[in-house]
């Protein structure tokens, strides 16, 4: 490394007025008139009082954070400049992310060079404090990234194409795992195995740099075909209206489900992945393993989401589970774990049959008022299930619709009322079990 980067702002202890611990700083208030004189007198009295070392430390920490936020807010003011059109704004976003990436590379390079220097002297590596300094610097840069680009994306949404929005959301999902990794490293310190922290810090820094590099490459690819909004001048004047009928800028209005009301939207799949909000139905799955699913069988989950249910079943080692879902981008979002199949929309012919087909969100997915998709669903289930099927069937009118369409469009599948009732009692979920008739 030919040159070290400019250091981040150091804590400016002497620039902040001394004050007793816990008392809000006077600089946060803007008094006027007589009250200003009273505050000034009180402030002088406080300054005259000696301050404890612990208070000085608290002042330094708060001052350091304030200094960083002040610099970050300066970047935000540049990005919010209304004289910048969308092209200039996105160029600023790109360069800002690239600058953070460059600083992360410097941090990693300095860490690696200094670690090699320590080892050349016969030491195992730098101290825990030394490693923590590099890791905390990188974490501060990530915080700057989240702070700046979160505000900018919210302020100029009409400049973001749908692909850019997805890129930033995918980036947040990957950042979550890295920030979680940082907490794991801190845990290692407190549990008394600091040497493991020093070993892992280098890998963590490398993963962080690689994430930003990949994001920038993807953004470059997206911007090749990016087009500015046709009515951009209206947005700059505060008169623009979002047009939800087109896929490009401005962004479509967020919806939980895609057009048609059945398949989850790409953003919703990402959100559930990010915050782990999928319903895994574990009590029901345990009951199915005990009473329904055949050992060494092949099971197809045709409402799989990101494939968590299939993963759970495969992890038992008792059977083989496959995952399918109607969301249009599910194969990409699940990294190839889940295949795209819409059993509600058209006749489907997969490469093989399965012992059982399951859809544990069927009542919610296919019971949409005004849509009559159950006939096609049952035809596809019957053509692929050699033993039977398990579906959520709801209650009341939804249950009657499920049973009526099953009898009409999948007559070879018969409801097992006793077993269905057993599963409802074991899991508190409204499910129905259907077996293929012996003579079918």
């Amino acid at each position: 490394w030919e040159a070290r980067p400019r250091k981040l702002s150091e804590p400016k202890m002497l620039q902040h007025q001394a004050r007793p611990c816990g008392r809000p700083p006077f600089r946060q208030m803007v008094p006027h008139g007589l009250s200003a004189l009273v505050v000034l007198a009180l402030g002088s009295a406080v300054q005259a009082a000696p301050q404890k070392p612990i208070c000085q430390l608290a002042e330094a920490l708060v001052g350091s954070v304030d200094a960083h936020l002040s610099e970050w807010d300066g970047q935000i003011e540049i990005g919010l400049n209304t004289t910048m059109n969308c092209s200039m704004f996105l160029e600023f976003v790109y360069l800002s992310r690239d600058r953070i990436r460059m600083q992360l590379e410097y941090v990693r390079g300095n860490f690696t060079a200094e670690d090699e220097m320590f080892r050349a002297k016969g030491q195992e590596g730098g101290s825990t404090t030394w490693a923590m300094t590099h890791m905390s610097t990188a974490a501060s840069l990530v915080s700057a990234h989240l702070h700046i680009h979160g505000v900018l994306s919210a302020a100029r949404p009409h400049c973001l194409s749908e692909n850019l929005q997805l890129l930033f959301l995918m980036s947040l999902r990957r950042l979550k795992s890295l920030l979680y990794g940082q907490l794991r490293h801190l845990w290692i310190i407190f549990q008394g195995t600091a040497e493991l922290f020093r070993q892992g810090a280098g890998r963590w820094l490398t993963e962080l740099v690689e994430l930003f590099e990949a994001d920038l490459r993807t953004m470059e690819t997206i911007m090749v075909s990016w087009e500015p909004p046709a009515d951009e001048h209206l947005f700059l004047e505060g008169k623009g209206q979002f047009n939800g009928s087109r896929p490009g800028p401005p962004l479509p209005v967020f919806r939980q489900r895609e057009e048609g009301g059945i398949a989850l939207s790409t953003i919703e799949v990402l959100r559930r992945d990010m915050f782990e909000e999928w319903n895994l139905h574990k009590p029901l799955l345990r009951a199915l393993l005990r009473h329904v699913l055949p050992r060494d069988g092949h099971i197809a989950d045709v409402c799989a989401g990101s494939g968590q249910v299939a993963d759970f079943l495969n992890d038992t080692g008792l059977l083989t589970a496959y995952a399918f879902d109607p969301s249009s981008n599910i194969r990409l979002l699940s990294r190839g774990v889940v295949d795209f199949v819409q059993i509600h929309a058209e006749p489907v012919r997969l490469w093989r049959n399965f012992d059982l087909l399951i859809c544990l969100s069927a009542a919610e997915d296919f019971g949409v008022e005004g849509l009559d998709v159950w006939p096609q669903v049952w035809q596809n289930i019957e053509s692929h299930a050699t033993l039977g099927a398990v579906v959520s069937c709801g209650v009341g009118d939804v249950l009657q619709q499920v049973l009526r369409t099953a009898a009409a469009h999948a007559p070879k599948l018969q409801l097992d009322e006793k077993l269905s009732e057993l599963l409802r009692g074991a899991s508190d979920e409204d499910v129905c079990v259907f077996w293929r008739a012996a003579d079918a």
Side-chain angles (χ1 to χ4, degrees), residues 5-111:
R6 179 180 64 84
K7 292 185 178 180
L8 296 174
S9 300
E10 298 291 341
K12 302 176 182 178
M13 296 179 61
L14 300 179
Q15 295 185 10
H16 292 268
Q17 297 179 353
R19 64 179 186 271
C21 291
R23 185 182 298 277
F26 288 103
R27 58 186 173 80
Q28 292 180 352
M29 309 176 192
V30 187
H32 300 280
L34 180 60
S35 61
L37 297 177
V38 174
V39 170
L40 180 61
L42 291 176
S44 300
V46 170
Q47 289 179 346
Q51 198 172 36
K52 297 179 180 180
I54 188 64
C55 296
Q56 293 176 351
L57 176 60
E59 287 291 330
L61 292 174
V62 172
S64 177
V65 173
D66 288 347
H68 287 313
L69 287 175
S70 177
E71 292 183 4
W72 299 348
D73 288 341
Q75 296 295 312
I76 291 175
E77 289 179 6
I78 297 174
L80 295 181
N81 188 341
T82 56
T83 63
M84 296 172 59
N85 60 28
C86 282
S87 297
M88 297 171 61
F89 169 76
L90 291 176
E91 183 178 2
F92 171 81
V93 169
Y94 177 88
L95 293 175
S96 178
R97 294 167 77 94
D98 186 54
R99 179 62 178 174
I100 291 174
R101 175 202 58 80
M102 184 185 304
Q103 291 293 329
L104 289 173
E105 282 190 344
Y106 281 133
V107 173
R108 180 184 63 170
N110 292 337
F111 177 90

Side-chain angles (χ1 to χ4, degrees), residues 187-199:
W187 181 280
I188 288 174
I189 291 178
F190 285 110
Q191 76 179 11
T193 54
E195 67 279 0
L196 298 178
F197 170 78
R198 294 193 297 272
Q199 297 171 10

Side-chain angles (χ1 to χ4, degrees), residues 1 4 10 12-13 24 30 83 120 158 162 186 236 273 362 367:
W1 298 88
R4 296 171 65 93
E10 298 291 341
K12 302 176 182 178
M13 296 179 61
V30 187
T83 63
H158 58 280
E162 192 168 14
L186 292 176
L236 295 178
D273 279 344

